[in-house]
């Protein structure tokens, strides 16, 4: 019953993510999200200071491709070699690699140009959805999912969720602050990764459920 509840939760999150991403994509295509983007950008960039710029550059660095790949290798080694959790390793690698592929496909599909005002760093490629936002959501989301069951107390689990949320949000906000993404790029990236992550978890939990049923029939 517990597994079935988790499967239902994953389905509902995936559905909400799909609807959310679709709404953002439609609003961008119809140019009806300009005021939202400009309002958020004005507020976040209005907070600019030398110290905050250093902090935001740090968070955007944590969400960069090289850092994510290094973390991917470390976590993969730990799951596959040290713990010998082959199913968890497959889930983790599928989520991370799939996120990179999905982001590339979506960027080519929408061809949205990046903001061209008040950039504090330079970035190439298309803007929607944000690769940093998608990578952060997928990486810290799947790590939190995998670690959750190994943390025995509520305090540890709460800390895990809070740290994951902070890193996901700060990496996304840093891209807006630094002038290389619209807020809708970030929100769209979160929704896209939310959809992909929950689909992957759904199949993983389904696999675990079948394993559980087989073990109790034998």
């Amino acid at each position: 019953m517990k597994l079935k509840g988790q499967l239902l939760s994953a389905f509902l999150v995936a559905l909400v993510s799909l609807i959310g991403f679709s709404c953002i994509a439609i609003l961008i295509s119809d140019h009806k999200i300009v005021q939202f983007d400009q309002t958020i950008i004005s507020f976040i960039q209005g907070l600019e200071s030398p110290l905050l710029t250093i902090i935001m550059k740090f968070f955007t660095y944590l969400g960069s491709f090289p850092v994510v790949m290094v973390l991917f290798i470390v976590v993969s080694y730990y799951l596959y070699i040290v713990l010998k959790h082959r199913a968890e390793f497959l889930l983790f690698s599928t989520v991370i690699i799939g996120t990179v592929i999905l982001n590339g496909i979506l960027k080519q599909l929408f061809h949205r140009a990046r903001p061209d005002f008040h950039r504090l760093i330079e970035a190439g490629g298309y803007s929607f959805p944000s690769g940093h936002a998608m990578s952060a959501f997928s990486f810290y989301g799947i790590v939190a999912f995998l670690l959750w069951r190994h943390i025995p107390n509520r305090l540890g689990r709460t800390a895990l969720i809070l740290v994951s949320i902070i890193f996901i949000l700060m990496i996304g906000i840093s891209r807006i602050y630094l002038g290389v993404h619209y807020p809708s790029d970030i929100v769209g990236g979160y929704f896209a990764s939310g959809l992909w992550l929950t689909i992957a978890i759904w199949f993983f939990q389904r696999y675990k459920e079948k394993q559980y049923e087989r073990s109790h029939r034998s």
Side-chain angles (χ1 to χ4, degrees):
M1 292 297 293
K2 184 178 179 180
L3 285 172
K4 289 182 179 179
Q6 291 174 343
L7 293 175
L8 177 60
S9 298
F11 172 77
L12 292 176
V13 173
L15 181 62
V16 170
S17 298
L18 176 60
I19 293 172
F21 181 83
S22 299
C23 289
I24 293 291
I26 291 170
L27 290 172
I28 289 173
S29 298
D30 293 342
H31 303 286
K32 293 181 178 179
I33 204 167
V34 175
Q35 187 59 50
F36 167 80
D37 281 334
Q38 289 179 344
T39 300
I40 301 299
I41 289 173
S42 296
F43 173 75
I44 292 177
Q45 292 192 336
L47 302 173
E48 183 180 338
S49 70
L51 175 60
L52 190 56
T53 298
I54 293 172
I55 294 172
M56 291 300 179
K57 285 183 177 180
F58 170 74
F59 277 105
T60 213
Y61 176 70
L62 290 182
S64 65
F65 182 79
V67 173
V68 171
M69 284 300 100
V70 170
L71 293 174
F72 170 74
I73 292 170
V74 171
V75 175
S76 296
Y77 176 84
Y78 190 71
L79 286 173
Y80 193 83
I81 303 298
V82 179
L83 298 179
K84 300 189 185 302
H85 290 174
R86 306 298 163 81
E88 285 78 2
F89 163 74
L90 181 60
L91 170 66
F92 176 73
S93 57
T94 298
V95 167
I96 302 304
I97 296 172
T99 298
V100 175
I101 295 172
L102 179 61
N103 180 254
I105 292 172
L106 291 174
K107 282 182 180 291
Q108 292 299 319
L109 181 63
F110 288 97
H111 279 203
R112 189 187 198 189
R114 291 183 184 271
D116 58 359
F117 46 88
H118 194 56
R119 287 191 187 182
L120 298 180
I121 61 172
E122 288 301 319
Y126 294 115
S127 188
F128 179 81
S130 165
H132 275 65
M134 287 188 66
S135 293
F137 194 102
S138 291
F139 180 83
Y140 293 104
I142 195 59
V143 168
F145 173 78
L146 293 172
L147 290 179
W148 175 271
R149 69 193 69 191
H150 300 294
I151 298 177
N153 56 75
R154 181 176 297 180
L155 178 62
R157 290 181 170 183
T158 301
L160 172 67
I161 297 302
L162 286 177
V163 170
S164 299
I165 290 174
I166 289 171
F167 272 75
I168 290 169
L169 290 178
M170 287 304 298
I171 288 172
I173 292 171
S174 73
R175 304 302 283 171
I176 302 170
Y177 177 93
L178 296 171
V180 292
H181 274 296
Y182 296 102
S184 51
D185 297 333
I186 306 302
V187 177
Y190 289 156
F191 278 132
S193 275
L195 175 60
W196 170 237
L197 182 60
T198 48
I199 288 174
I201 290 174
W202 188 92
F203 278 103
F204 176 78
Q205 294 291 72
R206 183 61 180 165
Y207 166 76
K208 286 292 187 180
E209 183 181 34
K210 288 183 177 180
Q211 271 194 329
Y212 177 83
E213 291 173 350
R214 282 197 300 268
S215 66
H216 280 70
R217 281 200 302 264
S218 57

